[in-house]
Amino acid sequence: SQQGEEDPQALSIQEGENATMNCSYKTSINNLQWYRQNSGRGLVHLILIRSNEREKHSGRLRVTLDTSKKSSSLLITASRAADTASYFCATDSISNFGNEKLTFGTGTRLTIIP
Amino acid sequence: KAGVTQTPRYLIKTRGQQVTLSCSPISGHRSVSWYQQTPGQGLQFLFEYFSETQRNKGNFPGRFSGRQFSNSRSEMNVSTLELGDSALYLCASSLAGRRKETQYFGPGTRLLVL
């Protein structure tokens, strides 16, 4: 089962607009990461936010984390056609082996309309 | 540094056959994780290897196995293929597989089972 659930599942916006996607998770975390995946390719790491952080910026990306609500949001400002991709949140959890692993959410498919 | 490489990139097999996929991590990375990605189930964690030992395992049947060599290269094997095994298989490497580390993904191997 997925630890993270992204919302919305799909999002289409005009180029230049801002895009916001949300991630909800179920158990306590130490870190939450966001990844991007271009169609059928590997994932690319975007940003990591620690559980004691509330907000983090990286270029046109802004990530917020609310541990009380077990949710995070990713904001992409001034969107570009190249931002068209699927975006996944990933949370750390403990496997049955007692070791750390990343669990990915269901993803948001973002389409930027030129 | 060269990125994570996966071979082959595309593969077509028939039910009942077996398949071996290969992943070469970034130089110096000792942790390799494997994921299965399908439209219906999303990104599912298969297993993680660190220093030639399986350190984590997801909820997949025993038909899915893997190994890691002394140079950190990893292979995964799927025996007795089923139609539902059709998926994009992604591997990711990191320095030590700790929760706060970024995982670097390869481009994936797309497997089609007929």
Side-chain angles (χ1 to χ4, degrees):
Chain A
S1 63
Q2 300 289 343
Q3 158 77 316
E5 300 286 335
E6 274 95 338
D7 169 57
Q9 290 186 353
L11 179 63
S12 292
I13 60 173
Q14 294 291 133
E15 192 169 16
E17 293 181 338
N18 296 342
T20 300
M21 53 206 88
N22 304 295
C23 167
S24 60
Y25 55 91
K26 299 173 185 174
T27 62
S28 296
I29 61 170
N30 288 289
N31 306 289
L32 184 144
Q33 302 183 42
W34 284 90
Y35 285 80
R36 183 187 75 227
Q37 182 181 35
N38 291 89
S39 182
R41 309 280 309 268
L43 279 73
V44 175
H45 180 259
L46 295 176
I47 197 166
L48 178 152
I49 186 166
R50 304 188 196 288
S51 60
N52 62 355
E53 297 177 311
R54 291 297 167 259
E55 188 171 311
K56 201 163 184 179
H57 296 253
S58 177
R60 293 183 296 112
L61 306 180
R62 189 188 83 159
V63 170
T64 61
L65 179 64
D66 187 335
T67 53
S68 66
K69 295 181 179 178
K70 292 187 171 56
S71 67
S72 174
S73 67
L74 171 66
L75 168 68
I76 303 174
T77 60
S79 63
R80 305 168 181 168
D83 295 329
T84 294
S86 292
Y87 292 82
F88 296 87
C89 66
T91 53
D92 60 344
S93 58
I94 301 297
S95 71
N96 293 337
F97 282 58
N99 292 314
E100 305 162 352
K101 66 168 187 172
L102 279 183
T103 302
F104 287 83
T106 52
T108 291
R109 175 68 190 167
L110 175 65
T111 301
I112 307 300
I113 304 167
Chain B
K1 276 186 180 178
V4 178
T5 58
Q6 290 187 247
T7 56
R9 293 291 311 279
Y10 303 93
L11 206 50
I12 300 176
K13 292 285 187 179
T14 56
R15 278 181 301 175
Q17 287 187 310
Q18 74 165 16
V19 67
T20 299
L21 312 181
S22 180
C23 172
S24 292
I26 290 173
S27 178
H29 285 192
R30 296 167 64 191
S31 169
V32 174
S33 297
W34 288 90
Y35 297 85
Q36 180 197 65
Q37 186 177 29
T38 60
Q41 297 298 316
L43 268 161
Q44 300 284 327
F45 172 76
L46 279 157
F47 30 64
E48 182 215 359
Y49 285 86
F50 179 79
S51 292
E52 302 179 64
T53 301
Q54 188 180 80
R55 189 163 67 173
N56 273 315
K57 189 176 188 303
N59 297 321
F60 278 80
R63 299 185 297 108
F64 292 82
S65 63
R67 59 177 175 169
Q68 187 179 34
F69 302 94
S70 59
N71 62 358
S72 293
R73 189 177 71 84
S74 177
E75 290 181 346
M76 68 162 281
N77 183 276
V78 187
S79 63
T80 319
L81 284 166
E82 301 177 359
L83 295 179
D85 297 333
S86 293
L88 180 67
Y89 290 89
L90 296 163
C91 81
S93 77
S94 64
L95 279 170
R98 311 316 298 181
R99 64 180 70 182
K100 60 184 176 182
E101 289 180 352
T102 296
Q103 291 206 8
Y104 295 86
F105 282 80
T109 294
R110 187 165 295 281
L111 171 65
L112 177 62
V113 181
L114 301 175

